Amino acid sequence: MSSNYLYTDLSAYYDLMCADIDYPAQSYGALRLHQLFGNGGNNHLDLACGTGPHIRHLINFGYQSRGLDINPPMLEQAKTRCPEAHFFLGDMCNFQVDEPLDLITCFLYSIHYSAGTEKLKQCIESAHRALKPGGVFCFNSVDKDKIDNTLFERHTVTRGDSLFTFSSAWYYRGEGEKQALKLSITKTTDGVTRSWDDEHPMVAINFEELTGLLQPYFDVHILEHDYEKIVPWDRASGNALFVCVKT
Protein backbone atom coordinates (compact mmCIF):
# COMPACT_ATOMS: atom_id res chain seq x y z
CA MET A 1 0.00 0.00 0.00
CA SER A 2 1.51 3.30 -1.06
CA SER A 3 1.26 6.09 1.49
CA ASN A 4 3.28 8.95 0.09
CA TYR A 5 1.15 11.42 2.00
CA LEU A 6 2.70 10.12 5.22
CA TYR A 7 6.17 11.18 4.14
CA THR A 8 5.77 14.47 2.34
CA ASP A 9 8.06 15.96 5.00
CA LEU A 10 11.05 13.62 5.29
CA SER A 11 12.47 15.76 8.08
CA ALA A 12 10.10 14.07 10.52
CA TYR A 13 11.79 10.73 9.78
CA TYR A 14 15.34 11.86 9.08
CA ASP A 15 16.79 11.01 12.50
CA LEU A 16 15.09 7.61 12.47
CA MET A 17 16.39 6.94 8.97
CA CYS A 18 19.92 7.76 10.15
CA ALA A 19 19.65 5.98 13.52
CA ASP A 20 22.45 3.52 12.66
CA ILE A 21 24.97 6.26 11.81
CA ASP A 22 27.81 6.72 14.30
CA TYR A 23 27.67 10.51 14.53
CA PRO A 24 30.19 10.73 17.41
CA ALA A 25 32.80 8.73 15.48
CA GLN A 26 32.27 10.71 12.27
CA SER A 27 32.45 14.04 14.07
CA TYR A 28 35.54 13.06 16.04
CA GLY A 29 37.09 11.76 12.82
CA ALA A 30 36.58 15.17 11.21
CA LEU A 31 38.15 16.79 14.27
CA ARG A 32 41.24 14.57 14.01
CA LEU A 33 41.59 15.23 10.29
CA HIS A 34 41.35 18.96 10.90
CA GLN A 35 43.96 18.74 13.65
CA LEU A 36 46.30 16.87 11.31
CA PHE A 37 45.79 18.83 8.10
CA GLY A 38 44.27 22.15 9.17
CA ASN A 39 45.24 25.55 10.49
CA GLY A 40 44.25 25.17 14.14
CA GLY A 41 41.18 27.44 13.99
CA ASN A 42 37.68 26.58 15.15
CA ASN A 43 35.28 28.37 12.79
CA HIS A 44 33.22 25.58 11.21
CA LEU A 45 30.45 25.19 8.64
CA ASP A 46 28.54 21.96 7.96
CA LEU A 47 27.06 21.80 4.46
CA ALA A 48 23.77 19.91 4.04
CA CYS A 49 23.63 19.79 7.84
CA GLY A 50 20.18 18.19 8.08
CA THR A 51 18.92 18.19 11.67
CA GLY A 52 22.37 19.07 13.01
CA PRO A 53 23.72 15.91 14.72
CA HIS A 54 27.30 16.42 13.52
CA ILE A 55 27.18 20.07 14.54
CA ARG A 56 26.08 19.07 18.04
CA HIS A 57 29.21 16.98 18.49
CA LEU A 58 31.58 19.49 16.90
CA ILE A 59 30.27 22.25 19.17
CA ASN A 60 30.96 19.95 22.09
CA PHE A 61 34.52 19.61 20.76
CA GLY A 62 34.96 23.39 20.91
CA TYR A 63 34.03 24.56 17.41
CA GLN A 64 32.05 27.69 16.59
CA SER A 65 29.68 26.00 14.18
CA ARG A 66 27.25 27.02 11.49
CA GLY A 67 24.96 24.88 9.40
CA LEU A 68 23.55 25.26 5.91
CA ASP A 69 20.71 23.23 4.42
CA ILE A 70 18.06 23.62 1.75
CA ASN A 71 15.28 22.05 3.86
CA PRO A 72 13.55 24.51 6.28
CA PRO A 73 11.93 21.88 8.57
CA MET A 74 15.29 20.17 9.07
CA LEU A 75 16.89 23.49 9.95
CA GLU A 76 14.20 24.10 12.58
CA GLN A 77 15.08 20.78 14.20
CA ALA A 78 18.79 21.66 13.98
CA LYS A 79 18.16 24.97 15.78
CA THR A 80 16.46 23.10 18.61
CA ARG A 81 19.30 20.57 18.83
CA CYS A 82 22.07 23.20 18.61
CA PRO A 83 20.82 26.57 19.92
CA GLU A 84 24.41 27.86 20.09
CA ALA A 85 24.93 27.47 16.33
CA HIS A 86 23.89 29.71 13.45
CA PHE A 87 21.88 28.12 10.64
CA PHE A 88 21.27 29.30 7.11
CA LEU A 89 18.76 28.27 4.47
CA GLY A 90 20.58 27.93 1.18
CA ASP A 91 22.15 25.97 -1.65
CA MET A 92 25.56 24.46 -0.89
CA CYS A 93 26.53 24.99 -4.54
CA ASN A 94 26.40 28.76 -4.14
CA PHE A 95 26.99 30.09 -0.64
CA GLN A 96 28.85 32.91 1.06
CA VAL A 97 29.91 33.48 4.65
CA ASP A 98 30.36 36.65 6.70
CA GLU A 99 33.76 35.63 8.08
CA PRO A 100 36.33 33.14 6.80
CA LEU A 101 36.19 29.58 8.05
CA ASP A 102 38.72 27.03 9.25
CA LEU A 103 36.75 23.86 8.56
CA ILE A 104 33.93 22.96 6.17
CA THR A 105 32.38 19.50 6.44
CA CYS A 106 29.86 17.69 4.28
CA PHE A 107 28.89 14.30 5.69
CA LEU A 108 26.74 11.39 4.49
CA TYR A 109 27.74 11.70 0.82
CA SER A 110 25.75 14.93 0.64
CA ILE A 111 28.34 16.43 -1.72
CA HIS A 112 26.56 14.38 -4.39
CA TYR A 113 23.39 16.45 -3.99
CA SER A 114 25.00 18.89 -6.41
CA ALA A 115 22.80 18.66 -9.49
CA GLY A 116 25.65 18.03 -11.93
CA THR A 117 29.37 18.47 -12.48
CA GLU A 118 29.10 22.21 -13.03
CA LYS A 119 27.12 22.64 -9.82
CA LEU A 120 29.65 20.49 -7.98
CA LYS A 121 32.41 22.75 -9.29
CA GLN A 122 30.48 25.76 -7.95
CA CYS A 123 30.25 24.07 -4.55
CA ILE A 124 34.02 23.53 -4.55
CA GLU A 125 34.60 27.15 -5.54
CA SER A 126 32.25 28.37 -2.79
CA ALA A 127 34.09 26.27 -0.20
CA HIS A 128 37.45 27.60 -1.39
CA ARG A 129 36.26 31.21 -1.13
CA ALA A 130 34.85 30.63 2.35
CA LEU A 131 37.99 29.10 3.88
CA LYS A 132 41.02 30.77 5.38
CA PRO A 133 44.45 29.78 4.04
CA GLY A 134 45.19 26.37 5.48
CA GLY A 135 41.49 25.70 6.03
CA VAL A 136 40.08 22.24 5.37
CA PHE A 137 37.15 21.06 3.26
CA CYS A 138 36.30 17.50 4.35
CA PHE A 139 33.65 15.25 2.80
CA ASN A 140 32.98 11.67 1.73
CA SER A 141 32.21 10.48 -1.77
CA VAL A 142 31.31 7.40 -3.80
CA ASP A 143 33.05 6.57 -7.09
CA LYS A 144 30.44 6.14 -9.84
CA ASP A 145 32.55 3.46 -11.58
CA LYS A 146 32.56 1.28 -8.47
CA ILE A 147 28.84 1.38 -7.64
CA ASP A 148 27.20 -2.05 -7.36
CA ASN A 149 23.51 -1.59 -8.13
CA THR A 150 22.64 -4.81 -6.31
CA LEU A 151 23.88 -3.65 -2.89
CA PHE A 152 21.73 -1.85 -0.32
CA GLU A 153 21.73 -0.85 3.34
CA ARG A 154 18.79 -1.65 5.63
CA HIS A 155 17.94 -1.14 9.28
CA THR A 156 14.86 -1.18 11.49
CA VAL A 157 13.81 1.19 14.28
CA THR A 158 10.90 1.02 16.73
CA ARG A 159 9.16 4.28 17.56
CA GLY A 160 6.13 4.12 19.82
CA ASP A 161 3.94 1.29 18.58
CA SER A 162 5.35 1.39 15.06
CA LEU A 163 8.19 -0.54 13.42
CA PHE A 164 10.07 1.35 10.69
CA THR A 165 12.30 -0.27 8.09
CA PHE A 166 14.63 2.01 6.14
CA SER A 167 16.49 0.93 3.02
CA SER A 168 18.90 2.86 0.79
CA ALA A 169 20.90 1.99 -2.32
CA TRP A 170 23.03 3.68 -4.97
CA TYR A 171 22.08 3.25 -8.60
CA TYR A 172 24.22 4.23 -11.60
CA ARG A 173 23.27 3.24 -15.12
CA GLY A 174 26.88 3.12 -16.27
CA GLU A 175 27.22 6.39 -18.16
CA GLY A 176 26.64 10.09 -17.72
CA GLU A 177 26.88 12.39 -14.70
CA LYS A 178 23.66 11.34 -12.95
CA GLN A 179 23.25 8.67 -10.31
CA ALA A 180 20.43 8.05 -7.85
CA LEU A 181 20.05 7.41 -4.16
CA LYS A 182 17.04 5.12 -3.81
CA LEU A 183 15.21 5.27 -0.49
CA SER A 184 12.46 3.09 0.89
CA ILE A 185 10.53 3.39 4.16
CA THR A 186 7.95 0.97 5.53
CA LYS A 187 5.92 1.58 8.67
CA THR A 188 4.10 -1.26 10.39
CA THR A 189 1.53 -0.43 13.08
CA ASP A 190 -0.95 -2.95 14.52
CA GLY A 191 -0.26 -5.35 11.68
CA VAL A 192 -0.85 -2.75 8.96
CA THR A 193 2.16 -1.92 6.75
CA ARG A 194 2.45 1.23 4.71
CA SER A 195 5.33 2.04 2.42
CA TRP A 196 7.01 4.96 0.67
CA ASP A 197 9.68 5.01 -2.02
CA ASP A 198 11.72 7.86 -3.39
CA GLU A 199 14.69 8.41 -5.67
CA HIS A 200 17.04 11.34 -5.16
CA PRO A 201 18.95 12.50 -8.26
CA MET A 202 22.63 13.07 -7.50
CA VAL A 203 25.80 13.88 -9.38
CA ALA A 204 27.85 10.89 -10.56
CA ILE A 205 31.62 11.28 -10.67
CA ASN A 206 34.67 9.07 -10.24
CA PHE A 207 37.54 9.92 -7.94
CA GLU A 208 39.89 10.87 -10.77
CA GLU A 209 37.37 13.38 -12.11
CA LEU A 210 36.62 14.70 -8.62
CA THR A 211 40.32 15.16 -7.89
CA GLY A 212 40.64 17.09 -11.14
CA LEU A 213 37.91 19.50 -10.01
CA LEU A 214 39.49 19.98 -6.59
CA GLN A 215 43.17 20.36 -7.45
CA PRO A 216 43.03 23.92 -8.85
CA TYR A 217 41.86 25.04 -5.40
CA PHE A 218 43.19 22.57 -2.83
CA ASP A 219 45.89 20.15 -1.85
CA VAL A 220 43.88 16.92 -2.04
CA HIS A 221 44.31 13.93 0.27
CA ILE A 222 42.17 10.83 -0.39
CA LEU A 223 41.75 8.52 2.59
CA GLU A 224 40.04 5.24 3.30
CA HIS A 225 36.40 5.63 4.31
CA ASP A 226 37.08 4.99 7.98
CA TYR A 227 36.50 7.76 10.50
CA GLU A 228 38.37 5.85 13.21
CA LYS A 229 41.63 5.53 11.25
CA ILE A 230 43.69 7.83 9.05
CA VAL A 231 44.79 5.58 6.20
CA PRO A 232 45.48 6.44 2.54
CA TRP A 233 42.86 5.27 0.09
CA ASP A 234 43.72 1.83 -1.29
CA ARG A 235 42.68 2.89 -4.83
CA ALA A 236 40.30 -0.07 -4.97
CA SER A 237 37.38 0.74 -2.68
CA GLY A 238 34.49 2.79 -4.02
CA ASN A 239 34.07 5.02 -0.98
CA ALA A 240 36.61 7.50 0.33
CA LEU A 241 37.17 10.54 2.51
CA PHE A 242 38.47 13.65 0.78
CA VAL A 243 40.51 16.07 2.89
CA CYS A 244 41.15 19.24 0.89
CA VAL A 245 43.48 21.93 2.23
CA LYS A 246 43.25 25.47 0.88
CA THR A 247 46.66 26.57 -0.34
Side-chain angles (χ1 to χ4, degrees):
M1 174 179 178
S2 176
S3 302
N4 284 346
Y5 70 91
L6 285 176
Y7 303 103
T8 54
D9 180 7
L10 186 60
S11 66
Y13 299 90
Y14 181 81
D15 285 341
L16 286 177
M17 185 172 65
C18 299
D20 62 336
I21 293 171
D22 192 342
Y23 289 111
Q26 292 188 4
S27 303
Y28 186 64
L31 165 68
R32 292 179 65 214
L33 291 170
H34 188 224
Q35 289 175 332
L36 180 62
F37 292 98
N39 57 13
N42 69 347
N43 285 330
H44 165 243
L45 171 66
D46 191 27
L47 299 180
C49 65
T51 61
H54 292 103
I55 288 177
R56 178 68 270 158
H57 291 289
L58 285 161
I59 288 174
N60 294 345
F61 295 148
Y63 282 89
Q64 300 292 321
S65 291
R66 303 162 178 80
L68 181 146
D69 203 282
I70 204 167
N71 185 299
M74 287 194 184
L75 285 178
E76 289 305 311
Q77 293 185 50
K79 291 174 184 177
T80 300
R81 173 176 269 143
C82 310
E84 315 95 311
H86 296 284
F87 291 95
F88 307 91
L89 180 68
D91 182 353
M92 69 177 184
C93 295
N94 185 18
F95 68 92
Q96 297 180 351
V97 294
D98 293 334
E99 58 180 311
L101 302 167
D102 303 294
L103 173 65
I104 298 176
T105 54
C106 189
F107 294 96
L108 306 182
Y109 301 98
S110 296
I111 196 76
H112 289 274
Y113 276 107
S114 307
T117 303
E118 283 303 312
K119 284 290 187 180
L120 177 57
K121 184 178 178 181
Q122 291 175 25
C123 176
I124 292 167
E125 291 171 344
S126 294
H128 180 263
R129 286 195 303 268
L131 286 167
K132 298 175 186 176
V136 169
F137 181 27
C138 179
F139 60 89
N140 60 344
S141 180
V142 60
D143 188 316
K144 68 179 183 182
D145 296 330
K146 300 182 185 297
I147 289 175
D148 184 340
N149 293 333
T150 67
L151 297 180
F152 61 90
E153 298 285 341
R154 178 176 292 164
H155 72 278
T156 59
V157 181
T158 299
R159 181 179 183 182
D161 59 356
S162 298
L163 176 68
F164 290 85
T165 300
F166 298 93
S167 180
S168 63
W170 291 113
Y171 176 79
Y172 181 55
R173 62 189 179 92
E175 60 182 7
E177 62 173 32
K178 301 291 184 182
Q179 65 191 41
L181 176 62
K182 295 187 175 185
L183 300 174
S184 174
I185 304 173
T186 63
K187 177 184 179 183
T188 301
T189 309
D190 296 329
V192 177
T193 298
R194 297 173 176 176
S195 62
W196 173 86
D197 296 286
D198 196 12
E199 187 171 302
H200 293 193
M202 307 183 93
V203 64
I205 194 166
N206 62 37
F207 291 167
E208 181 179 358
E209 294 166 339
L210 180 54
T211 301
L213 292 181
L214 289 161
Q215 281 182 332
Y217 306 95
F218 297 98
D219 285 336
V220 181
H221 306 269
I222 310 177
L223 305 177
E224 281 293 290
H225 195 257
D226 187 338
Y227 288 95
E228 296 183 357
K229 301 177 183 178
I230 300 176
V231 181
W233 176 51
D234 65 4
R235 307 191 67 83
S237 58
N239 304 280
L241 291 172
F242 280 73
V243 181
C244 310
V245 185
K246 179 173 178 176
T247 54

